[in-house]
Amino acid sequence: MAYVKVDDIDLFYEENGNGLPLIFLHPPGMGHVVFHEQRKLAEHFRIIVFDMRGHGRSGLGSKEFSIALLANDLNLLMEALSIKEAVLIGYSSGGSVAQEFAIQHQEKVAGLLLCGGFSEVSDPFLQAEFRAGKALVHKMKVLSWILAKGHSRSEAEFKMLRSYIVSTNPYLLENFYEKGRRYVCTNKLSALHIPFMHVTGERAFYFHHYQKKYQKYVPHCELVRVSNAYHELPTKSWRELNQIIYQFATSIELNRR
């Protein structure tokens, strides 16, 4: 566990393992703890998880919030850790930050894996989720219960996730939901010429719509659907997701030899 000075804030991160760097980007409110099962991948790779500004143990700062600001924080974190190139794994709206970074700094991205990601919010179900999240940011006890319950498999995991979610800055969270809902990068995807994968649950039906978009705009994108799974892959289907990440990152390593 450590901090690094990034722009106007102290950014909290955890780093384990060696080899190809894998950096995980969380969705609004969740913090780095949502990836606690992905730490097991440190047996094979250099795993880095962190709290985006306003989340968990990271500072809020005074700059106007944007997805581009979060992507810039990531760039500064990589520079501070002397990481020239990494595989980015963006979960849900964390994928928006990953995509923005890849668009701005493609030379620093060894591969991009989106776990339930999207290049725009263009279906009514996801629109409703974003609006509901924004409406509940000042009722953190309720929002934290919903997010933690949806991701947990045990009472201990529920308490761990919830205790972290409630520490999120409400103002930041409100902006993350609103700017995340409005973020669009679909027309920029064709410029990405890096290993690209989109993973979602077989039962997360409204994310299938986004897989079709990626298939159209990024023809080389690999599409994966985890059997009998919903959206919360990092916790509820972590074994399957970890295996997918392992295979994706290993293929990148092999192709670079």
Side-chain angles (χ1 to χ4, degrees), residues 140-196:
M140 285 301 293
K141 288 186 177 180
V142 177
L143 182 58
S144 63
W145 188 94
I146 293 170
L147 291 175
K149 197 68 175 178
H151 285 81
S152 59
R153 300 152 295 161
S154 67
E155 185 65 19
E157 187 175 38
F158 169 78
K159 289 181 179 178
M160 182 269 292
L161 292 172
R162 191 180 188 192
S163 66
Y164 216 77
I165 294 165
V166 295
S167 66
T168 309
N169 180 275
Y171 170 79
L172 181 284
L173 189 55
E174 184 175 18
N175 275 275
F176 201 161
Y177 276 121
E178 181 60 22
K179 297 291 180 67
R181 184 178 67 84
R182 295 178 180 275
Y183 179 75
V184 178
C185 67
T186 307
N187 61 345
K188 300 177 181 179
L189 293 174
S190 60
L192 296 179
H193 304 289
I194 52 178
F196 199 128

Side-chain angles (χ1 to χ4, degrees), residues 50-206:
F50 69 102
D51 291 334
M52 296 185 195
R53 65 169 62 220
H55 291 79
R57 303 176 190 177
S58 288
L60 174 63
S62 58
K63 294 198 171 183
E64 183 179 355
F65 178 87
S66 67
I67 299 299
L69 177 62
L70 297 183
N72 186 60
D73 288 345
L74 172 59
N75 187 43
L76 295 175
L77 174 64
M78 289 178 64
E79 289 181 357
L81 298 181
S82 299
I83 298 173
K84 295 182 178 180
E85 194 176 26
V87 175
L88 304 183
I89 297 99
Y91 172 42
S92 197
S93 206
S96 300
V97 182
Q99 288 170 103
E100 180 66 19
F101 182 89
I103 290 165
Q104 298 296 330
H105 305 283
Q106 187 169 180
E107 74 284 356
K108 296 184 177 183
V109 183
L112 177 60
L113 189 151
L114 302 179
C115 176
F118 35 86
S119 60
E120 59 185 68
V121 180
S122 55
D123 79 281
F125 298 100
L126 196 55
Q127 284 274 0
E129 282 195 6
F130 270 85
R131 293 183 189 280
K134 182 182 176 182
L136 290 171
V137 297
H138 297 291
K139 298 179 180 178
M140 285 301 293
K141 288 186 177 180
V142 177
L143 182 58
S144 63
W145 188 94
I146 293 170
L147 291 175
K149 197 68 175 178
H151 285 81
S152 59
R153 300 152 295 161
S154 67
E155 185 65 19
E157 187 175 38
F158 169 78
K159 289 181 179 178
M160 182 269 292
L161 292 172
R162 191 180 188 192
S163 66
Y164 216 77
I165 294 165
V166 295
S167 66
T168 309
N169 180 275
Y171 170 79
L172 181 284
L173 189 55
E174 184 175 18
N175 275 275
F176 201 161
Y177 276 121
E178 181 60 22
K179 297 291 180 67
R181 184 178 67 84
R182 295 178 180 275
Y183 179 75
V184 178
C185 67
T186 307
N187 61 345
K188 300 177 181 179
L189 293 174
S190 60
L192 296 179
H193 304 289
I194 52 178
F196 199 128
M197 177 178 284
H198 187 283
V199 184
T200 190
E202 182 182 51
R203 296 182 178 179
F205 63 91
Y206 51 96

